Amino acid sequence: MVTGQRGRPRSFDRDAALDKAMLTFWEHGYEATSIADLTRTLGIGAPSLYAAFGDKRKLFDEVVVVYGSRYGDFAAVALREEPTAGAAMGRILREAAEIYTDPGHPPGCMVISAAANTTSREVAEALRERRNGNLAAFESRIRADVASGVLPADTDARALARYAGAVLQGMSQQSRDGATREELEAVAELALLAWPR
């Protein structure tokens, strides 16, 4: 009698799995995404998920890195490439309107929306640190423009950076609530009117 032979294991595409997990976390947030959701989305069993990624938190940490490199680094690129903080912020807000409403992925910013309603202090803190890192980068660039005379000497760099962050966070939520690219572009243009001249 021939005993059942195990088939050759399917190859596991880690990058494809991370992409799928990213979209799931982005759509539902960290808290609402269950292991069952992830195994169903990735097409693997829980033991395989744990073997490949450790646990849900470790998978999420990897996903955040992938998200940052593919969708979240536009602000850092603009700050690096544009000649002034104001030009960088204009580019950031306009690109956010495009990225946050792109139909090819869930709306908004995953780093902003994935933290909503999470009971994991560690996840909430890790995402807060990423957002605060962006604010620190904004503030540093604004301070450099103040020091070089591009912005008025009395510019409150911290408040201006926080204002920019608040507009971005609001745009992210508005996109999740159905705002279109054109509507968010209009928000970006209005927000830029507050930029010091």
Side-chain angles (χ1 to χ4, degrees):
M1 181 174 177
V2 178
T3 59
Q5 292 182 324
R6 296 181 73 168
R8 193 171 161 197
R10 287 188 316 192
S11 63
F12 179 71
D13 186 336
R14 185 178 184 83
D15 290 338
L18 284 168
D19 282 343
K20 291 176 183 177
M22 176 183 63
L23 294 173
T24 303
F25 282 123
W26 195 346
E27 179 69 29
H28 304 290
Y30 177 80
E31 194 72 25
T33 300
S34 67
I35 292 295
D37 294 331
L38 292 166
T39 58
R40 185 171 46 258
T41 300
L42 275 55
I44 59 175
S48 296
L49 185 140
Y50 289 118
F53 299 106
D55 58 18
K56 177 180 164 180
R57 169 65 198 280
K58 288 177 183 165
L59 172 57
F60 183 72
D61 288 345
E62 282 194 58
V63 159
V64 169
V65 171
V66 170
Y67 172 84
S69 68
R70 294 204 188 134
Y71 300 100
D73 66 346
F74 68 96
V77 171
L79 288 170
R80 188 171 55 248
E81 293 179 353
E82 294 299 326
T84 65
M89 192 50 55
R91 177 173 162 185
I92 290 166
L93 293 176
R94 290 178 191 107
E95 288 182 4
E98 178 183 355
I99 293 166
Y100 292 173
T101 59
D102 183 337
H105 55 69
C109 170
M110 189 188 80
V111 172
I112 294 169
S113 62
N117 302 319
T118 186
T119 58
S120 168
R121 271 189 251 144
E122 295 84 11
V123 168
E125 181 58 29
L127 294 174
R128 185 179 310 114
E129 284 177 15
R130 288 184 79 87
R131 292 189 304 271
N132 285 338
N134 285 338
L135 292 180
F138 296 166
E139 183 177 345
S140 175
R141 186 62 193 278
I142 293 164
R143 286 189 189 286
D145 278 7
V146 171
S148 66
V150 171
L151 287 172
D154 63 348
T155 300
D156 185 336
R158 180 172 295 248
L160 191 55
R162 193 156 292 280
Y163 169 75
V167 172
L168 280 170
Q169 289 178 12
M171 289 173 67
S172 175
Q173 184 58 51
Q174 286 288 306
S175 70
R176 291 183 72 82
D177 289 344
T180 66
R181 176 178 175 176
E182 293 74 22
E183 289 170 329
L184 293 184
E185 286 172 341
V187 169
E189 296 310 317
L190 285 171
L192 292 170
L193 294 176
W195 201 263
R197 306 266 177 234

